[in-house]
Amino acid sequence: MTQSNAGTFTLTDDATGKSYKLPVIDGTMGPSVIDVRKLYAETGHFTYDPGFTSTGSCESALTYIDGDEGILLHRGYSIEDLAENSDFLDVAYLLLYGDLPNRDQKKKFDRDVTYHTMVHEQLSNFYRGFRRDAHPMAVLCGVIGALSAFYHDSTDIHDEHQRMVASFRLVAKMPTIAAMAYKYSVGQPFNYPRNDLSYAENFLHMMFAVPAEPYKISPTVARAMDRILILHADHEQNASTSTVRLSGSSGANPFACIAAGIASLWGPAHGGANEAVLNMLQEIGHKDNINEFIKRAKDKDDPFRLMGFGHRVYKNYDPRAKVMQKSCHEVLAELDLDDPLLELAMALEKIALEDEYFVDRKLFPNVDFYSGIVLKALGFPTSMFTVLFAVARTVGWVAQWKEMIEEPGQKIGRPRQLYTGPEKRAYVPVGQR
């Protein structure tokens, strides 16, 4: 990757008066970074940054986010353009290879992914080791980690061909494994993938088809599913992506690294946001109660918060929400569901978009608000919301992992700490304590 040296940054030790010049590096877009790699060697000090919120942990050419302006780019393409004009495998190819595929590349890539969607038949026995009421994320984490025990021919991270095969396998098999986790939890037979269906259609088929009757896939529903996958494909150096990179830096096989990412995603502060939206709607209960809960949300002393509004990264409108809003309304119109919770969600959206309190604070509905509503309308139980997030994010994790492995001079991650424990003390035998 190309780095641009933008000069230096001078750091002065006020205790000694000594100054140190630190290189400043420019990226293509966004804030420049101060290179502190030699800071400890030159000053004897580490930096302290809990949560790494001010630390650039890597170079990456995959995704760019400008939260203040509401911008999300993958390899330079806006998320709005990609969601409107591409399908999920188009975006997967872009993340993995750096550009959108031409017609021949697209045909080959789609075929290669499609023909990797089946899993080893013995893997189905693995599910029987889990309780039926196990959370699908627990099952997903365990099964993905176990793939390295089934596919020994794609665990050598130093072999370019094996890295490529592992990438295809993870992207292709994740929907199959996720759908199997759902089917197992409800006691229904597993559905084999079908090569005549698109990626999104195939996932819906494996999730909801039953042997007793044909399963018809609505184009509107399939498109909404495809958009959800696109909108969650990658989101820069978040907690789960950083976990994948840190795990991969040790040389761990790709299946183990993605399992680690799934474990991180499972946390409610990360992948559970759209599930929290549904829980909030259930707490509100009925659209007649909205005004009461809006008042509570404005009250700083009330613990109630409106979930799915505003975003930690996007200080303006979440660009993914604009796309998801359109799909949300299309799906609800297509399915014409008589669901009070969905009526409540639409009423809440209207009020929040017009209320001065939310507009002034830019607390707009985010992608989690709309995706939670769409997934409920499609019939996904809330326990599957984070699983679906993992299905979408796998290609981002894999692309980030590949980028890290292929980076010259890549090193194992080793964060530092500020030690606040006791100083060295003498050992006291047990009888004298």
Side-chain angles (χ1 to χ4, degrees):
M1 298 179 191
T2 304
Q3 291 182 341
S4 173
N5 194 315
T8 58
F9 193 96
T10 301
L11 177 68
T12 301
D13 183 342
D14 290 336
T16 64
K18 189 173 182 180
S19 294
Y20 305 89
K21 288 190 180 296
L22 303 173
V24 175
I25 303 171
D26 278 344
T28 309
M29 302 172 69
S32 301
V33 299
I34 301 169
D35 186 348
V36 297
R37 284 175 288 185
K38 296 182 180 179
L39 182 69
Y40 177 66
E42 294 181 1
T43 71
H45 292 73
F46 296 131
T47 56
Y48 181 61
D49 183 22
F52 309 112
T53 55
S54 297
T55 299
S57 62
C58 63
E59 276 185 71
S60 181
L62 290 168
T63 299
Y64 173 76
I65 296 171
D66 185 331
D68 293 332
E69 297 297 325
I71 294 171
L72 171 59
L73 307 177
H74 292 319
R75 304 283 195 180
Y77 295 99
S78 76
I79 192 63
E80 295 94 333
D81 285 345
L82 292 172
E84 185 65 31
N85 302 299
S86 286
D87 65 12
F88 177 69
L89 289 184
D90 244 1
V91 176
Y93 186 99
L94 173 68
L95 289 171
L96 289 169
Y97 294 108
D99 214 337
L100 290 168
N102 61 34
R103 186 176 285 106
D104 291 340
Q105 290 168 332
K106 167 79 169 154
K107 184 177 179 181
K108 182 179 184 305
F109 183 74
D110 286 5
R111 185 185 185 282
D112 287 345
V113 171
T114 298
Y115 280 80
H116 272 295
T117 51
M118 285 186 65
V119 297
H120 195 292
E121 187 65 17
Q122 192 178 341
L123 201 65
S124 62
N125 297 328
F126 198 75
Y127 284 79
R128 297 192 182 100
F130 295 99
R131 287 173 52 124
R132 290 278 180 181
D133 61 354
H135 195 289
M137 280 296 280
V139 177
L140 190 70
C141 191
V143 175
I144 292 297
L147 288 181
S148 57
F150 286 84
Y151 300 109
H152 303 290
D153 60 339
S154 56
T155 56
D156 183 355
I157 65 170
H158 303 296
D159 184 306
E160 183 178 359
H161 178 72
Q162 290 199 29
R163 290 199 302 270
M164 181 270 291
V165 172
S167 300
F168 276 103
R169 282 177 170 161
L170 281 160
V171 173
K173 297 181 193 305
M174 186 65 77
T176 309
I177 290 168
M180 289 171 72
Y182 169 68
K183 287 296 193 184
Y184 184 76
S185 71
V186 294
Q188 293 182 3
F190 298 144
N191 286 321
Y192 288 103
R194 281 175 44 184
N195 292 344
D196 61 320
L197 298 177
S198 72
Y199 193 89
E201 290 171 336
N202 202 20
F203 182 50
L204 290 168
H205 156 74
M206 290 188 290
M207 279 287 301
F208 299 121
V210 293
E213 59 187 37
Y215 177 66
K216 296 179 181 179
I217 302 172
S218 156
T220 300
V221 168
R223 183 59 179 146
M225 185 78 262
D226 199 64
R227 280 181 174 154
I228 287 176
L229 295 172
I230 290 172
L231 296 176
H232 291 86
D234 192 54
H235 209 239
E236 209 219 68
Q237 305 309 314
N238 49 74
S240 59
T241 299
S242 299
T243 299
V244 170
R245 279 184 171 264
L246 193 59
S247 300
S249 74
S250 72
N253 72 73
F255 304 110
C257 295
I258 301 307
I262 293 169
S264 177
L265 183 70
W266 194 357
H270 189 4
N274 48 13
E275 183 174 347
V277 170
L278 267 292
N279 294 335
M280 173 200 68
L281 293 174
Q282 288 168 347
E283 183 181 355
I284 295 173
H286 193 276
K287 59 184 179 182
D288 292 344
N289 301 329
I290 289 178
N291 287 334
E292 175 194 343
F293 280 88
I294 290 284
K295 289 178 182 177
R296 290 184 58 189
K298 296 176 181 178
D299 184 352
K300 293 180 180 179
D301 297 324
D302 193 311
F304 175 78
R305 293 291 179 267
L306 282 179
M307 306 304 294
F309 292 83
H311 195 278
R312 182 182 177 187
V313 173
Y314 299 107
K315 307 309 178 189
N316 207 313
Y317 202 85
D318 181 344
R320 301 168 300 169
K322 296 177 184 177
V323 179
M324 203 65 249
Q325 181 191 43
K326 180 181 178 182
S327 277
C328 179
H329 288 280
E330 288 173 353
V331 166
L332 294 181
E334 166 100 0
L335 299 180
D336 192 24
L337 299 171
D338 184 17
D339 187 331
L341 214 60
L342 298 177
E343 290 181 19
L344 164 61
M346 292 299 93
L348 181 59
E349 176 207 26
K350 186 175 187 300
I351 290 173
L353 288 174
E354 296 173 355
D355 190 294
E356 286 185 13
Y357 179 88
F358 295 101
V359 173
D360 291 346
R361 290 163 176 77
K362 298 182 179 179
L363 295 175
F364 302 112
N366 61 34
V367 69
D368 299 307
F369 179 80
Y370 293 112
S371 65
I373 296 167
V374 171
L375 294 178
K376 176 173 173 52
L378 297 186
F380 285 88
T382 53
S383 62
M384 282 295 294
F385 284 11
T386 314
V387 173
L388 195 141
F389 196 152
V391 171
R393 185 55 56 85
T394 295
V395 69
W397 289 334
V398 168
Q400 296 270 357
W401 170 81
K402 278 182 78 274
E403 184 179 59
M404 179 205 64
I405 292 296
E406 294 165 5
E407 176 72 17
Q410 181 268 325
K411 297 179 180 179
I412 186 171
R414 180 48 169 100
R416 301 297 185 169
Q417 67 174 21
L418 176 65
Y419 177 70
T420 57
E423 296 181 356
K424 184 179 178 181
R425 41 186 176 170
Y427 181 80
V428 180
V430 65
Q432 300 176 23
R433 293 175 201 162

